Every structure is written in C-alpha cells, then in structure tokens.
Amino acid sequence: MPSEKDNKGSDSSRRSSWGVELGEIDKRTRFQVNRVDAASSKNDGEEYGESDPLQGEEEGSRRGSLDNARPTSPTMLLSHTSDTSGYDTRYAKSFRHFTREALPRLDNYRNIMSIQAAYRPTLDELHNSTLHGKPTTRPAGPQADAEGTVKFGWIKGVLVRNLLNIWGVMLFLRLSWVVAQAGIGQGMLLILCTSVVTTITALSMSAISTNGVIKGGGTYYMISRSLGPEFGGSIGLIFSLANAVACAMYVVGFCESMNSLLSTFQASIVDGGINDMRIMGVITITVLLCIVCVGMEWEAKAQIGLLVILLVAILDFMIGTCIGPLSDEAKVKGFIGYDAKLIAENFKPDYRQSEGVEHSFFSVFSIFFPAATGILAGANISGDLLDPQGAIPKGTLLSIVLTTFSYLIMAFMSGAVMERDASGNITELANQTYLDCTDRECKWGLHNSFQVMELVSAFGPLIYAGCFAATLSSALASLVSAPKVFQALCNDRLYPYITWFGKGFGKNNEPVRGYVLTFFIAVSFILIGELNAIAPLISNFFLAAYALINFSTFHASLAKPIGWRPKFRFYNMWLSLVGAGLCVAVMFLISWWTALITLAVVMALYLIVAYRKPDVNWGSSTQAQTYKNALISVQQLNNVEDHVKNYRPQILVLSGMPGYRPPLIDIAYLMTKNLSLMICGHIVKDPLSQRVRNVLNYKAQNWFRVHKVKAFYNVVDEVDFEEGAKALLQASGIGKLKPNILLMGYKGDWRECERKELAMYFDVMHKALDMYVAVAILRLQDGLDYSKVIADDEEMSNGVNTPADKGFSRTRQNSQESIPRNQSFSQMSQASSASDLSAPATPNLNKSRVSASPNAEDGDAGHTAVTIVDPGQEKNKLSLMKKDKKKRESKADLFRGPGGAPLPKEVLNSLTQFQRKQGKGTIDVWWLYDDGGLTLLLPYIISTRRNWSGCKLRVFALANKKDELEFEQRSMASLLAKFRIDYSDLKVIPDITKKPQEGTVSFFESLINDFRIPETASDGSGDGISISEAEVLANADKTNRHLRLRELIIENSMDANLVVMTLPMPRKNVVSAALFMAWLETLTKDMPPFLLVRGNQTSVLTFYS
C-alpha cells in the first residue's frame, strides 16, 4: 500500500495541476464532510482518479456531503492543518467532490471536435435539480501517437527553412548583376524595398499566427480562418500549385549549375544541353521525394546540412573579397579588390539593355524580388511545429533581418571589389586597356558574368556547392510545403474530387499522396526544361498570398471582433493595408499580364467556393464584418423616416416549423423575395430546453437553405396560441425591421374545435389590428398542414435504415445526448482541419405532429426522439448525400413521404402550387374597401415574379351607385393608371346589395346554427363566440353582402389562379368569432386559392414621384 507521504505527494501534485489552493482556507470554513475510513478513501481515490469531476455530488451520500444543519465538530472541518501547504486528506480526496461546477481548464475551451475536449456541465444541468451530468462517450477516432510525433522548434522549423529559401540562387548568380545595373546605392535601396514588403507581411502574419492555435496548412490555414473559405480556398490551391512548380524551377536551377560545372571539364551525359538537364532533374527530384517520404525528421536533417554548406559558401565569398585577387587573370576579369575610387564609381546606377530589355529600377526590382518569396517556408509546415504561435513570428522576422543584412553586405562587397566591365584578356593588363569596353563586347565584370561570386571567392568550388545547397534546399522546402498546404485544403472539402489526397500516413500524418502528386507535377515541368516564362506567374502567386495575409490582418483589425486578440502587438492595421497594396503593385511591376492572370484565377476559384457554399464555420473576420455592417445599417435605418414610396411588406408567418406548411411559406416568399423581411413564427405549448430550441432552429434554417428561402425563424414556448402570437407580434424584429403584416392559415376546423381555440384565433386578429399590423389569411381547399404527409429533411437525408445501419444507430426517447453539450448547431458545422472526425449528424427529432388547425402549435413538443449516428457511418453518409445532391433538384425530390417514399402527384402538385410555373391565367383582385392599397399591392408583387408573370391582374371593385357605374369605372381605371399597376380587366360590381339566392342563405344558416343561442338564453352570451339573434339582425346587411359576394366570385373567379380579397373588418364587440368565421367560410369555401387581406388603413401606394 502507498504510504501516507506518497498520498500527500499525489494530492499535492493533483492540486497543483488543477490550480486549486485550499491551504489558505480560514479555520472558520463552514464546509463539513462525512468521515470515511482508509479503505473507503483508497477506493474513492482509485475510482475518481480518471472520473468526471461532476460525479462527486451525484453520489454525495456515499462519498461526502455538505451539512450545515448541526454544530460542526473540529475533527470534521475541512480546515487549516499543521501543514500549511495542504489540507486534511482523510475526509475528501479533492474539492471537485463538493460541487457540480467545473473549474476553469484549457480542455473546456477546445474545439468541440477535439479528442481532448473536456466535459463542462451545461446550464440545464447546473440550473435544474433533476438533471445530472454524465460523461459523454466520445466517438473513437484516430489519435496521433504523441510520443512518436516529430515536432520542430522555431530554429529548425522556421528560421533554417526561411534562410535556405531566401538565400537562393539569386544570391550567387544574380546579385552581382543587380549591383551592376542599379549601383551600390540603388541596389541596397532595392534590397531594402524588398525587405519592407516582406517585413510588413511578416508582421501581419505574426499577428494572425498568434491569434489562436495554428494547425496544419500554414498560409492556407491562416487566410481561410481569417477571411473565410472563399479566399482561403483559392489561395490554398494556387499556393500549392505555385510551390509544386517552384520545386521544378529550383531543380532546373540546380541542373543548370551542374551542367555549367560539367562543361568546364568538357563532360556531359547525353548532349550537354536540355536532355542532360532533364535526366539530372528527374534523378534529383526522385532523390528529394525519397527524403521527404522517409519522414520530416530526415528532411530537417538534410536542411541543416545544406544550410552549413550555404553558410560556408557565403563565408568563402566574404573572405575572398578581403584577400583580393590572387592572380593577374582575376584582375583582367574585373576583380581588383577594395578601392575607394571603384566604390564611388559603382555607387551610381548604370542601367543598360540586357537580353533585349531596357532595364530600369523597377524592372531590376521585379527580377530580384522573387528572392524574397521564401518567408512562408516555415509557416507552411505549421502542423509540424512545436509552438507555431511563438515559432512563426520569431523565426520569420529573424530570417528577414539576417538575410537582408547579408544581402546588403554582399551587394556592397560585390560593388566594392568588381568592375562593371572587363575583357578578361591578360595581354591588356600591362597597358590597362582591359577595362575599356566602349567599342567591343566584354564577357567579364558585374554586367557580363554570372560567375562573379566564384571569381571573388577564396575557393571557387565552394560557390558551386553553395549554389547546389541553395537550389536543393529551396526545392526540398517547396516539395514539403505544397503537399502540406494541399492536405489541409483537401481535409476541409472546399473543392470536389480532391479529398483523396488529404489522407495522412504514419505518426506525423504525412501527406504521401500529396508528395507523389507534387512529384509528378514537378517532373512534368522539369521535362519542359524552359521555365523562364512561368517564373513571373509563380512569383505573382506568392505575392497574391502575401497580399491576402496583409489584408487579413487589416480586415480583422477593421472589423474588431472580440476574438481578435493577437499576442503579437507590433502590427498596425493601416501598415498591413499598405503592405497589401505594395504586394499588388509589385505583382504588376513584375509582369502586368501575369498579375491579371493571377487575379482572374483567384477570382474563379473564389466563385467556385462561393457557389458550392461549403458547410464550414471558422469565425472569420468576414463574418464579423457582416455583423458589423448589419448593425450599422439597422441603426442607420432607424434614422430614416418612413415614406410610402419605400414601403415594403414585412411578413410574420404563423407557420410552425416551415416544413409543415410549405404553401404558406411559398406565398409569403412570393411577396418578400429579394424585397423585404419574412419571419416564420412557431408556437409550442410545452416548455423547451435550450438544446431542443437549438435543434428546431437548425432544422428550420436547414429547410430554408435547401428550399432556397430567405427568411428567419422564431420559436416561443410554454404559451398557448394567442399568447404566443401576441409575443411574436410584439417582439419579432428589430428597429424598422419588424413585421407589418401577419399571415395566418385559415382555421378550417373552426366549427369542430374547442371554442377556446376559436376565440384565441379571433383574438389574434384583433391584437394585430390593435398594433396597426395588417392581417392576411390564406385558404387552400386541400388545407395547409402537410406535417403527416411529408418527411423531415433528416428522414430524406438518412433514408431507411439498412440492417448495417441499425448496428450503428440507436434511438433514445426523451434524450438529447446526440446534441453537443453547450453548443449551438451553428458552432458545430465544421471540424478543424487537423481533426479526422466529421461534424456530428443532425439529430432526427420525431416531433409529435400538429393538428389541422392553423395555430402552429406542436403538442407535446417536449418528447423527442433523437437518433445517434456513428461518426464513421455519418462520414460515409455525408459523402453519399453529396453524390445525390445533383439528383435532388426537382420539386419531387425536395418533398418525400415518410421513409423517403415518393408523394402522389396530386399531393405534390398541391404542395408546390405556388412554386410552379403558372400558365396563362389570372389573379383576381377583389378590392372591396380602401385599406390603404395593400389588397392591390400584394397581388401586384406576386404578378411580377417569374413563375407568375403569365398571370394578369383582374380588378373587381364595388360601385357606390348603380347609375354612376360608368363614372366609377373611369375613376378606378384612372387610379390604377396613376398607381402604374398593369391590369388586364377592370370590373365594377353594381348590384352588391342585391338579395342573395335561397341556396346561399341556406348554406350560411347551416354554418351558424350550432353557434346560435335563443333570445331567452343567457348561457354563452357575451363569450365572444356564440351568435345572438340581436347580432344576426344588426349585421344582416353585411351578411347579405358577403353572401352576394360568394355568388359573384363563383360567377367570375372560379377559374382564377389566385383570388385576393379585402378581409372583412372584425369589429370589436360587434361581430362574434363564429359569425366572422361564417362570413369567411361563405366567401372562401370550394374556391381557388384564396388570400384575404386587410391593410392598416395607411397608404402603401402613391402616385407622386
């Protein structure tokens, strides 16, 4: 058994790891715990060693409890002991046994898809006494072997790679030429200008890389998580391609140097030309592929060896300048050693024509700048860095400082010891004419020879070794960078058909498939042999990435999301913007046509991702800017006074779940599409937990997305229909963005339902009109509620479980365990790029179906059945869903019956009647009373929609006097013309007061018979439902008018595609609910689709300009 000392040591270490210090608790602490014996204590310690910290309170009666009801014994106090560094461990193993609360821990804040994510109690578990937290079973997923994983520090991982990439071939073969053209002064200025661009970019990258954990993907990861998947995906793809082609360019540079070296010995493989380069190139790239496939550790060792060679070569050159020329042959080739007169002469520029191009400062700058494009070499392997947040800023900035200093020193040295022109003829040394190249072409000097470094160096072959090290190290870095970035892009599934390359192998998750792909791309370009035309395009691809890194920092600083808190403070948003502008400017300086090609490629890839709309949620600054813009716009809108010309129908639809009443959503969307606000209200009688609310919101938003409806969803719970509708009317919207029209379905069961339901339905209309909100009621003869006919989107997605599926899924009643804890569904849309886990499936909520009444209530909504799906199975299912996406474009595929069965054609036609293309027909507008013009405006908006453009408006109006019929018709026609409302026919009804037919009267009497009360009866009178004889007599004229209207509608509008009529006014304390509903039943029964509209008596139309 462990000793007491060991136990105390264990407890001390555990307290240290938790960050809880109880040693300083005052002796008067009122905590009290039950005594437990040693054996029990030992067992508890073993049991709780790896258990969840929240289970202690659930079994407090066995392990410990708080009890303040009786006097506290000193021996039972959790108090200060003689050992001031600890507390008495005889009674409790840890503080976590006494509370449900979780203490602040790093694991509590991990990504929800992370294997190490910790269990934090939900608000429900803390707030409700009946809920007990239980540890969630995390899906088993592949975990990297932490012990065998190779991670690099900032020196080996970032500094070394950046140095090798920046100290490229340019250092040995082109720097002397740059000094010859620009002179020492402008040459050093040119180097500093290049360093300014790269330094600003490095500062911006440092800010991004220290604003949270950086995972694999480097540049792509930073841009995509900052600016979103559109920019990130486009840059990730072209950046991977640029690195692959750059690898080929560096290998070709190595082959050129090797060919030059062989030619000095009159040696060759085949022809001493392009074929030799191809053979050497394929062999070289194959060797490099073998090095990276063996593992990153070997690649890092190779990089260290190459860096040593490169440093020795640089040192060799510097020593050579100090030693001076060792022979007359070196002198006649232009190497004369340090000379003040030579420095003064070479300090000035001497721009000349070279290779058919007349050079200037900017043309030389464009040739030199690609030397600085290696600052992302370390960041590109961010997934293999031990601490990317610390390594990337330190390594990148230090590499820029060191390389800038070395370039400046070597540029000065080159100009200080070498002449611009020299003949190389040793016979001219005596008369000093070897420097006179006025009338002849010289082959030596800074202008004419690329072998200046070899000439000046103390030992020439070391310069060749330096060239080889520079080219091979850059090729190796590009061969590693391209697959690493491409792997992260593939795992994020932004583009189709590339996910196969995202699979990693080995303990370091090596992208072997990406290595092979990069190998074949590089080989194909190596076989071309001539890459001078492609080089500017590659440089522009790198510069596009630099520009977006700078813009990412600027945009994040501009949007100012709360999550933008980079540890690196030495950045400035305006400096980052200037950096982005400089990068774009340099792109056009290098080659304007390749800059245009680069921008076109970025835009094309951007549009592909934007069109695909990947289901990712990375908290980008564009999302933050969207919120900021929306907030500013809403606040500005509040300061704009309302005007009739700017009226927009903003509709609150009492639809329940949108998928339950598609026709009601469709007709509302016909009026609001690309025009105004639509909110779908959902009223639930029973209380809902927040997790269920999240599920309902997710399902509603998913339905909107699938059916391409732009609307909002709002649910209220624990209220009846009337209170819920009032809450929605009063609380929906913000500022000027709030509903001004209430759209409801017609209550078809008003005669059979409970009278309380009818009263609530009627009172909602009163409340809306009291709030000056217009009321619209839609009636379809087949009804609106399709909740029992069509399947949920999840049922359509999941289909019917096969026997194999049943082994992986299970359903729990009254359970919400498949819903991620403490997460909304917007937060779980995408796993991190470094995670092998897919996002969890949408829970399959089998909610109890609503009744046929249009009150949008979900009875017993609290009882839910949630299907929990295995992550591996769900991953395969997601891929199958994507394959079937193209098949689900017709309306028949958007709506399916239970189990995914196809719906009957007549049901489908009824469901989609407002979505289908309407043939030549009419929209009949019965504009009976002037309600402000809403009755006329809504059908006009519908007629402007593409699917309804074939339907013409026919307007019906009532005549004031029969003998003034012609005058009334001309007046109405003039009014419609002034409103600029196109109509095909206008009819003024002269005989609205005519007595209705007996059959119509009998039909109406049958509707109200069950609600009539005798004159002598007092029961039911005054309840707002029953119809008294006095009420019938008082409203006899209105009743006859509505009966006559039914006959006129049957006579004129039975063939209409849609009938829109002014809603009769439900006058308070004058018309009962039953009588009013009888009027509506009379007007709409057995009619075409019927929309009743009542405006708020405020003008929504005007003829003024």
Side-chain angles (χ1 to χ4, degrees):
M1 290 182 62
S3 64
E4 183 177 349
K5 182 177 181 180
D6 292 337
N7 287 337
K8 288 184 178 180
S10 173
D11 288 336
S12 177
S13 63
R14 188 180 296 117
R15 288 197 306 276
S16 175
S17 65
W18 291 339
V20 180
E21 298 180 4
L22 296 180
E24 299 300 323
I25 295 180
D26 191 272
K27 292 183 178 181
R28 293 172 297 174
T29 304
R30 302 305 300 166
F31 283 118
Q32 179 181 357
V33 296
N34 293 335
R35 181 186 296 276
V36 290
D37 56 23
S40 176
S41 177
K42 176 179 182 297
N43 293 336
D44 287 352
E46 292 174 352
E47 184 173 354
Y48 271 82
E50 298 296 328
S51 68
D52 187 271
L54 302 176
Q55 284 187 347
E57 189 172 304
E58 295 180 26
E59 302 180 13
S61 60
R62 182 167 59 90
R63 297 189 176 122
S65 63
L66 299 177
D67 186 7
N68 294 321
R70 59 181 183 270
T72 306
S73 168
T75 62
M76 301 184 71
L77 283 175
L78 193 64
S79 61
H80 196 297
T81 64
S82 58
D83 182 5
T84 58
S85 63
Y87 58 90
D88 195 341
T89 59
R90 291 177 298 171
Y91 307 116
K93 299 300 293 182
S94 65
F95 172 69
R96 64 181 181 176
H97 291 179
F98 300 108
T99 179
R100 290 179 183 272
E101 302 277 12
L103 301 178
R105 294 291 178 268
L106 174 65
D107 288 345
N108 295 339
Y109 294 89
R110 291 188 185 274
N111 187 297
I112 61 168
M113 301 307 300
S114 174
I115 299 296
Q116 293 84 13
Y119 177 96
R120 179 197 293 151
T122 65
L123 187 61
D124 288 339
E125 291 166 355
L126 291 176
H127 192 219
N128 299 327
S129 60
T130 57
L131 292 178
H132 300 285
K134 298 179 180 179
T136 53
T137 303
R138 306 198 181 282
Q143 299 187 43
D145 185 3
E147 295 180 357
T149 303
V150 177
K151 296 290 185 180
F152 304 115
W154 71 274
I155 296 178
K156 186 185 289 188
V158 180
L159 180 63
V160 171
R161 293 175 186 278
N162 286 3
L163 290 176
L164 287 169
N165 251 23
I166 299 173
W167 280 332
V169 180
M170 189 71 65
L171 181 66
F172 296 101
L173 300 184
R174 289 292 186 272
L175 183 60
S176 58
W177 177 85
V178 169
V179 174
Q181 291 281 351
I184 297 175
Q186 290 192 16
M188 296 177 73
L189 177 64
L190 185 147
I191 295 170
L192 290 174
C193 289
T194 301
S195 298
V196 166
V197 176
T198 55
T199 302
I200 294 174
T201 304
L203 292 175
S204 299
M205 183 172 63
S206 299
I208 298 174
S209 63
T210 58
N211 189 54
V213 176
I214 298 295
K215 298 184 179 179
T219 307
Y220 159 72
Y221 186 91
M222 287 186 280
I223 294 177
S224 62
R225 270 52 176 183
S226 297
L227 287 180
E230 295 85 3
F231 277 118
S234 58
I235 286 298
L237 204 55
I238 68 170
F239 195 75
S240 301
L241 179 61
N243 273 286
V245 180
C247 179
M249 290 178 58
Y250 294 130
V251 171
V252 169
F254 166 77
C255 296
E256 286 179 347
S257 300
M258 182 64 73
N259 230 12
S260 175
L261 180 62
L262 290 176
S263 65
T264 60
F265 299 100
Q266 285 78 40
S268 65
I269 300 176
V270 177
D271 57 1
I274 189 70
N275 289 324
D276 281 12
M277 290 175 54
R278 288 169 177 164
I279 293 172
M280 287 186 290
V282 172
I283 295 173
T284 304
I285 192 68
T286 303
V287 172
L288 295 179
L289 177 66
C290 294
I291 292 174
V292 297
C293 284
V294 168
M296 286 291 293
E297 192 172 5
W298 281 91
E299 186 266 348
K301 291 178 180 178
Q303 293 279 32
I304 293 292
L306 293 173
L307 178 62
V308 171
I309 297 173
L310 193 56
L311 290 173
V312 170
I314 294 174
L315 186 62
D316 178 41
F317 167 78
M318 292 181 175
I319 293 173
T321 62
C322 296
I323 295 175
L326 299 176
S327 65
D328 291 341
E329 184 180 358
K331 287 183 179 181
V332 297
K333 289 182 179 180
F335 179 31
I336 64 174
Y338 288 102
D339 184 86
K341 183 179 178 182
L342 179 62
I343 294 173
E345 183 182 342
N346 284 349
F347 192 83
K348 301 174 184 178
D350 181 24
Y351 295 108
R352 299 181 188 177
Q353 187 175 12
S354 175
E355 298 181 357
V357 178
E358 190 66 36
H359 285 288
S360 64
F361 178 85
F362 292 110
S363 63
V364 176
F365 177 80
S366 67
I367 292 173
F368 175 78
F369 188 84
T373 56
I375 63 170
L376 297 180
N380 286 336
I381 63 162
S382 56
D384 296 299
L385 298 177
L386 192 63
D387 177 24
Q389 290 180 291
I392 292 175
K394 282 191 294 186
T396 304
L397 291 171
L398 184 57
S399 65
I400 292 174
V401 171
L402 293 177
T403 53
T404 301
F405 182 73
S406 62
Y407 269 111
L408 290 173
I409 292 296
M410 294 181 73
F412 175 81
M413 288 180 173
S414 299
V417 300
M418 280 291 298
E419 292 282 356
R420 279 192 165 108
D421 298 288
S423 66
N425 190 347
I426 198 168
T427 60
E428 298 176 353
L429 181 62
N431 56 8
Q432 300 292 316
T433 57
Y434 67 93
L435 297 177
D436 185 9
C437 297
T438 305
D439 298 323
R440 59 179 174 168
E441 182 179 351
C442 294
K443 295 183 178 180
W444 296 95
L446 293 172
H447 264 302
N448 309 306
S449 175
F450 292 146
Q451 295 180 344
V452 170
M453 296 292 180
E454 180 192 2
L455 178 64
V456 173
S457 63
F459 184 64
L462 281 178
I463 298 300
Y464 277 109
C467 281
F468 297 158
T471 52
L472 291 178
S473 63
S474 298
L476 203 55
S478 297
L479 186 58
V480 169
S481 296
K484 291 285 185 181
V485 174
F486 192 61
Q487 182 185 35
L489 178 65
C490 294
N491 288 334
D492 284 342
R493 302 172 181 266
L494 300 184
Y495 294 102
Y497 314 121
I498 63 173
T499 54
W500 186 78
F501 294 100
K503 182 176 175 58
F505 296 88
K507 59 187 179 183
N508 281 347
N509 196 34
E510 298 287 351
V512 177
R513 294 172 179 174
Y515 290 146
V516 175
L517 176 64
T518 305
F519 169 79
F520 282 110
I521 293 174
V523 166
S524 63
F525 281 95
I526 288 170
L527 295 179
I528 295 173
E530 183 60 47
L531 297 177
N532 289 341
I534 303 176
L537 186 61
I538 303 307
S539 297
N540 274 343
F541 279 0
F542 283 116
L543 280 166
Y546 290 5
L548 281 180
I549 288 174
N550 284 304
F551 185 75
S552 298
T553 302
F554 166 75
H555 195 267
S557 302
L558 181 67
K560 294 181 180 176
I562 303 300
W564 176 249
R565 300 187 301 274
K567 290 182 180 178
F568 187 83
R569 300 294 183 184
F570 305 103
Y571 73 96
N572 181 272
M573 61 179 291
W574 301 112
L575 190 62
S576 297
L577 182 62
V578 170
L582 287 175
C583 290
V584 175
V586 173
M587 288 173 64
F588 282 92
L589 285 175
I590 291 176
S591 174
W592 65 267
W593 63 271
T594 54
L596 292 178
I597 291 176
T598 302
L599 295 177
V601 171
V602 171
M603 186 55 62
L605 294 173
Y606 177 97
L607 293 175
I608 290 174
V609 179
Y611 176 78
R612 285 173 54 83
K613 294 182 176 64
D615 187 18
V616 295
N617 181 15
W618 293 328
S620 64
S621 61
T622 52
Q623 293 174 309
Q625 188 64 40
T626 300
Y627 173 84
K628 186 176 180 179
N629 292 342
L631 182 61
I632 292 173
S633 298
V634 171
Q635 290 169 341
Q636 290 175 342
L637 187 62
N638 267 354
N639 299 326
V640 176
E641 294 186 10
D642 293 331
H643 193 281
V644 62
K645 288 195 295 183
N646 296 324
Y647 173 83
R648 293 172 183 266
Q650 302 184 131
I651 303 179
L652 171 62
V653 188
L654 298 186
S655 61
M657 287 299 292
Y660 288 172
R661 295 173 178 80
L664 193 62
I665 303 294
D666 291 339
I667 195 169
Y669 195 51
L670 285 174
M671 294 180 273
T672 63
K673 183 179 180 181
N674 300 326
L675 187 67
S676 57
L677 172 72
M678 182 170 81
I679 299 175
C680 294
H682 186 186
I683 304 168
V684 181
K685 289 181 179 179
D686 298 313
L688 300 177
S689 70
Q690 185 58 38
R691 289 207 231 162
V692 174
R693 294 174 69 92
N694 290 341
V695 173
L696 296 179
N697 186 68
Y698 176 80
K699 288 165 64 70
Q701 297 300 331
N702 185 60
W703 192 93
F704 291 147
R705 182 169 56 252
V706 170
H707 294 263
K708 299 178 180 179
V709 173
K710 295 179 181 178
F712 298 93
Y713 170 78
N714 200 354
V715 59
V716 293
D717 64 328
E718 210 170 353
V719 289
D720 57 29
F721 173 69
E722 181 180 353
E723 294 302 320
K726 289 179 179 179
L728 290 170
L729 282 168
Q730 295 174 17
S732 294
I734 180 173
K736 296 288 181 70
L737 289 177
K738 58 184 179 183
N740 52 25
I741 299 175
L742 173 67
L743 176 61
M744 300 189 294
Y746 179 75
K747 189 168 180 61
D749 64 343
W750 64 275
R751 286 182 294 171
E752 294 82 19
C753 70
E754 295 182 10
R755 296 202 169 192
K756 181 181 178 182
E757 289 186 18
L758 178 58
M760 288 192 294
Y761 182 82
F762 192 54
D763 289 341
V764 168
M765 280 185 270
H766 284 309
K767 182 62 179 179
L769 295 173
D770 287 342
M771 295 178 60
Y772 274 56
V773 174
V775 176
I777 298 175
L778 175 68
R779 180 172 191 182
L780 302 180
Q781 297 312 312
D782 295 328
L784 292 169
D785 185 10
Y786 288 87
S787 58
K788 297 180 181 179
V789 177
I790 58 178
D792 284 346
D793 289 332
E794 286 75 13
E795 294 178 34
M796 295 168 61
S797 301
N798 297 336
V800 182
N801 281 344
T802 62
D805 293 336
K806 293 177 182 178
F808 287 103
S809 63
R810 61 189 184 275
T811 301
R812 295 183 178 181
Q813 296 293 332
N814 299 320
S815 171
Q816 301 162 6
E817 291 188 17
S818 72
I819 309 169
R821 305 169 45 79
N822 291 331
Q823 300 291 339
S824 67
F825 275 83
S826 62
Q827 292 174 285
M828 48 175 271
S829 55
Q830 180 68 21
S832 67
S833 63
S835 175
D836 289 324
L837 298 178
S838 64
T842 304
N844 184 8
L845 255 68
N846 300 319
K847 295 172 289 298
S848 58
R849 304 304 185 185
V850 301
S851 67
S853 61
N855 58 8
E857 292 174 356
D858 279 345
D860 200 21
H863 299 283
T864 59
V866 182
T867 301
I868 305 174
V869 185
D870 178 78
Q873 176 200 8
E874 185 61 25
K875 201 171 188 178
N876 296 332
K877 192 172 293 181
L878 286 173
S879 62
L880 292 174
M881 286 170 60
K882 290 185 177 180
K883 291 180 181 178
D884 295 338
K885 189 175 181 180
K886 294 183 179 178
K887 301 179 182 179
R888 296 185 55 187
E889 294 185 357
S890 67
K891 300 300 181 185
D893 292 324
L894 287 177
F895 297 102
R896 291 278 183 170
L903 293 172
K905 187 175 181 180
E906 58 275 9
V907 174
L908 188 62
N909 289 340
S910 179
L911 262 173
T912 61
Q913 58 184 300
F914 294 116
Q915 301 176 23
R916 296 196 312 271
K917 177 71 176 177
Q918 304 290 321
K920 290 186 178 181
T922 63
I923 300 177
D924 287 0
V925 182
W926 291 77
W927 194 10
L928 306 179
Y929 316 108
D930 188 358
D931 60 347
L934 190 64
T935 305
L936 183 63
L937 178 63
L938 295 184
Y940 169 74
I941 294 173
I942 294 174
S943 70
T944 61
R945 302 305 182 187
R946 183 179 58 184
N947 287 346
W948 286 76
S949 58
C951 296
K952 305 298 182 182
L953 289 185
R954 293 197 305 174
V955 181
F956 297 85
L958 301 180
N960 189 31
K961 293 182 180 180
K962 188 174 183 179
D963 54 358
E964 296 179 357
L965 181 60
E966 186 176 349
F967 172 77
E968 295 276 0
Q969 189 147 354
R970 284 201 305 269
S971 299
M972 181 59 68
S974 175
L975 181 61
L976 294 176
K978 287 180 180 293
F979 285 152
R980 304 172 302 285
I981 300 291
D982 294 329
Y983 62 95
S984 62
D985 192 15
L986 172 62
K987 186 173 183 179
V988 178
I989 306 298
D991 53 353
I992 189 64
T993 57
K994 182 179 177 181
K995 186 177 180 181
Q997 300 176 4
E998 288 297 328
T1000 309
V1001 174
S1002 300
F1003 168 71
F1004 179 77
E1005 292 292 337
S1006 66
L1007 295 176
I1008 64 174
N1009 278 339
D1010 292 340
F1011 295 92
R1012 278 191 165 183
I1013 56 174
E1015 293 185 13
T1016 57
S1018 59
D1019 295 340
S1021 60
D1023 61 358
I1025 304 294
S1026 302
I1027 306 173
S1028 64
E1029 292 300 325
E1031 183 184 358
V1032 172
L1033 293 175
N1035 293 284
D1037 290 340
K1038 289 184 181 180
T1039 300
N1040 290 336
R1041 194 183 314 147
H1042 295 135
L1043 299 182
R1044 178 64 183 145
L1045 278 173
R1046 175 179 175 82
E1047 296 171 356
L1048 291 170
I1049 296 170
I1050 293 174
E1051 179 183 338
N1052 294 282
S1053 299
M1054 289 302 292
D1055 295 328
N1057 296 64
L1058 176 66
V1059 179
V1060 182
M1061 177 181 283
T1062 307
L1063 177 73
M1065 178 57 70
R1067 299 193 66 187
K1068 283 185 176 181
N1069 303 321
V1070 174
V1071 181
S1072 62
L1075 181 59
F1076 184 79
M1077 293 303 297
W1079 289 349
L1080 302 189
E1081 184 78 16
T1082 301
L1083 292 171
T1084 60
K1085 185 173 176 59
D1086 298 329
M1087 297 292 178
F1090 213 105
L1091 181 65
L1092 293 159
V1093 179
R1094 168 60 70 166
N1096 63 1
Q1097 302 304 117
T1098 303
S1099 295
V1100 298
L1101 292 170
T1102 182
F1103 46 78
Y1104 293 107
S1105 60

